[in-house]
Amino acid sequence: MVLQLLWLALLAAVLILLSTAPGLRRNYPYVWWCLLGYPVTVVRVRVTWRRLTTNLGLAVAKRPGRALLGDMVVRGDPLRPAPPRIGVPKLRRGGLDVTVRLHPGQVPDHFHSAVEALTHAWRVHAVRLASDDRGFVTLSALAWDPLRTPVVPYQLKQRALRAVVGLLEDGRAWAIDFRRAPHWLVVGATRSGKSTLIAALVKELAPQRVALFGIDLKGGMELSLFEDRLSALASTRTEAARLLAELVAEIEARMELCRTVGARSIWDLPAKLRKVPIVVIVDEVAELYLMATREDKAEVAEISTNLLRLAQLGAALGLHLVIAGQRVGSDLGPGVTALRAQLAGRICHRVSDPGTAEMALGDLNKDALEAAQRITLAEQGVAITADTDGQWTRARSIHVTPDQARRTATKYAHLAPAWPGLHVDEPTEGVYL
């Protein structure tokens, strides 16, 4: 009697789960995936694995496909080839990972051609392949497109100078890590998602012990949302030139301090002498290089030189650049090309001209360049990102509303170090930070 009641309860639970599955998938997709999507997909993986690998030529016979019959060698197809050994599918956020042990003679490229077939057989959005260990590949199945509505998972611990700004196309968090790639180039046309990405970046950096500086030559329209958290905001080219000159003086002072102590970077300094890291965000960099009159030439040359010095010297001294613009090309001058070479992190949204995409990704990977040029108007916020490892992937930033930006700036305004430069009538003496 008790056993029958248990079976009835189990059957009722299954029926309730099946009846509520459409609503769960629509409103609570992660709950639906854990309760229903993942178990069903695991069953599909197990049931279809042998047949899939046999049809795709990935199964290998334990005995050779030829035998000696009298004085003749007979060749044929093995009757029961052995599929590659598959591990236990592991649950992940919005998908699953399964490790496959390669047969001798197999390489990951053999599985690349099978990814599309696996996607259809397992009835998932996509299957990605990675090989981090010799003799093994990892197949990652995604239940849905993570770039459709990116939601960044909650992080228990936040690392300094690392900002999670969205999701990658494989479902992992998209992070801009300044300790990994000290400087970043961000390009994108109007309404491509570039401003949203910068807002997400500043929102993530605001709670950290970081000094934020802004150069926004669109009258400060973009970065003024975070003005309370910024130590200084330059909204004209004259202000930008003065701020960059002060920052150069700051890194020179830090160089002298490191030399005195015998340290190769500020991270090697004793804790009591270590300086606050600086992140400088330049929005619409092309405005810094445009020359309308002959008088502008000297100012542009000074700005170009100081920006390049900050890029060349800043990484070890705790100063990091984020250079953003709608159009970044060699036509702006040799200073832009030299600056681009120092920006290891690259992010390219939809752009209006091929030259800007070439400037951002052309020296890294031709496939990345082609992928960037295929981003459509409907894919606002989608970008191609690459950093120091030479790998590239599609990503999408989270949406930060103007109200969220203002609230964040107000909440963490007390963390903005005072800077004796812009917006100060009588600069105080002493160390800047």
Side-chain angles (χ1 to χ4, degrees):
M1 185 64 179
V2 176
L3 185 61
Q4 291 179 345
L5 290 175
L6 289 175
W7 277 109
L8 287 174
L10 180 61
L11 179 61
V14 171
L15 291 175
I16 293 173
L17 182 60
L18 290 176
S19 63
T20 58
L24 278 176
R25 185 169 188 175
R26 182 172 56 254
N27 300 316
Y28 304 98
Y30 295 105
V31 176
W32 167 84
W33 175 250
C34 293
L35 295 179
L36 192 62
Y38 168 71
V40 172
T41 306
V42 170
V43 173
R44 289 199 188 107
V45 171
R46 290 295 187 183
V47 170
T48 62
W49 184 246
R50 175 178 288 276
R51 189 184 308 170
L52 271 172
T53 53
T54 301
N55 292 338
L56 296 172
L58 298 174
V60 177
K62 295 182 179 180
R63 299 179 63 181
R66 57 186 180 180
L68 183 64
L69 184 62
D71 295 333
M72 298 181 62
V73 175
V74 180
R75 297 185 179 183
D77 295 327
L79 295 178
R80 290 185 62 82
R85 185 174 299 177
I86 188 172
V88 177
K90 298 178 181 178
L91 177 66
R92 57 174 290 185
R93 183 180 172 86
L96 61 83
D97 292 336
V98 59
T99 302
V100 180
R101 185 184 184 92
L102 302 179
H103 283 304
Q106 288 184 331
V107 294
D109 286 343
H110 292 147
F111 282 79
H112 274 294
S113 58
V115 164
E116 191 67 22
L118 295 173
T119 300
H120 288 280
W122 297 348
R123 299 180 189 178
V124 293
H125 169 71
V127 175
R128 308 295 184 201
L129 185 144
S131 179
D132 299 326
D133 194 8
R134 299 291 185 184
F136 296 88
V137 295
T138 300
L139 299 174
S140 300
L142 304 177
W144 55 80
D145 184 5
L147 302 187
R148 185 175 56 191
T149 52
V151 178
V152 176
Y154 178 76
Q155 300 178 83
L156 294 176
K157 188 176 182 180
Q158 192 175 43
R159 294 210 321 255
L161 290 175
R162 183 178 182 270
V164 177
V165 295
L167 288 181
L168 302 175
E169 65 175 345
D170 61 1
R172 293 181 294 118
W174 178 19
I176 294 179
D177 192 341
F178 290 101
R179 296 297 300 271
R180 180 184 176 98
H183 310 300
W184 289 77
L185 174 64
V186 183
V187 299
T190 302
R191 301 188 65 82
S192 65
K194 174 174 57 65
S195 297
T196 301
L197 171 64
I198 293 175
L201 172 64
V202 179
K203 182 175 180 290
E204 287 294 304
L205 291 176
Q208 301 183 29
R209 189 174 177 270
V210 176
L212 300 175
F213 292 83
I215 297 177
D216 182 3
L217 297 195
K218 289 192 292 187
M221 291 189 303
E222 299 291 345
L223 296 181
S224 61
L225 297 174
F226 293 98
E227 190 166 7
D228 290 343
R229 178 59 180 85
L230 301 178
S231 293
L233 174 62
S235 57
T236 67
R237 190 158 62 186
T238 300
E239 291 179 340
R242 181 156 49 122
L243 176 58
L244 292 173
E246 292 172 353
L247 290 171
V248 169
E250 171 65 18
I251 65 168
E252 289 176 346
R254 294 186 177 197
M255 278 193 291
E256 183 63 28
L257 175 62
C258 290
R259 180 182 176 182
T260 302
V261 178
R264 299 181 64 184
S265 71
I266 66 164
W267 312 111
D268 297 331
L269 291 172
K272 62 181 181 180
L273 296 178
R274 193 171 302 159
K275 299 296 183 177
V276 176
I278 298 172
V279 176
V280 182
I281 301 172
V282 180
D283 196 14
E284 217 50 67
V285 66
E287 292 292 327
L288 291 176
Y289 290 88
L290 293 179
M291 291 179 285
T293 63
R294 216 176 260 184
E295 287 74 16
D296 294 335
K297 188 173 182 179
E299 188 175 56
V300 169
E302 180 187 2
I303 289 174
S304 177
T305 301
N306 286 336
L307 261 181
L308 186 57
R309 291 196 68 194
L310 293 176
Q312 290 175 337
L313 304 174
L317 300 169
L319 188 144
H320 309 278
L321 297 176
V322 178
I323 306 296
Q326 297 182 32
R327 185 180 64 85
V328 181
S330 57
D331 59 308
L332 296 177
V336 174
T337 305
L339 178 64
R340 187 274 302 264
Q342 301 295 326
L343 309 177
R346 309 288 177 83
I347 299 172
C348 182
H349 295 82
R350 177 184 55 81
V351 293
S352 302
D353 62 300
T356 299
E358 179 74 28
M359 177 66 78
L361 301 171
D363 60 334
L364 297 180
N365 191 295
K366 291 184 178 180
D367 293 336
L369 180 60
E370 293 177 2
Q373 293 173 329
R374 289 197 298 267
I375 298 175
T376 64
L377 285 168
E379 297 177 298
Q380 186 176 2
V382 174
I384 304 299
T385 179
D387 59 16
T388 54
D389 61 2
Q391 301 295 321
W392 65 273
T393 185
R394 284 164 55 90
R396 189 172 190 176
S397 58
I398 58 175
H399 180 64
V400 177
T401 65
D403 287 340
Q404 289 175 327
R406 293 190 186 94
R407 286 198 301 269
T408 300
T410 302
K411 181 178 180 181
Y412 298 105
H414 64 283
L415 295 179
W419 181 264
L422 298 178
H423 313 302
V424 178
D425 295 331
E426 296 181 2
T428 57
E429 297 180 358
V431 181
Y432 290 154
L433 294 175

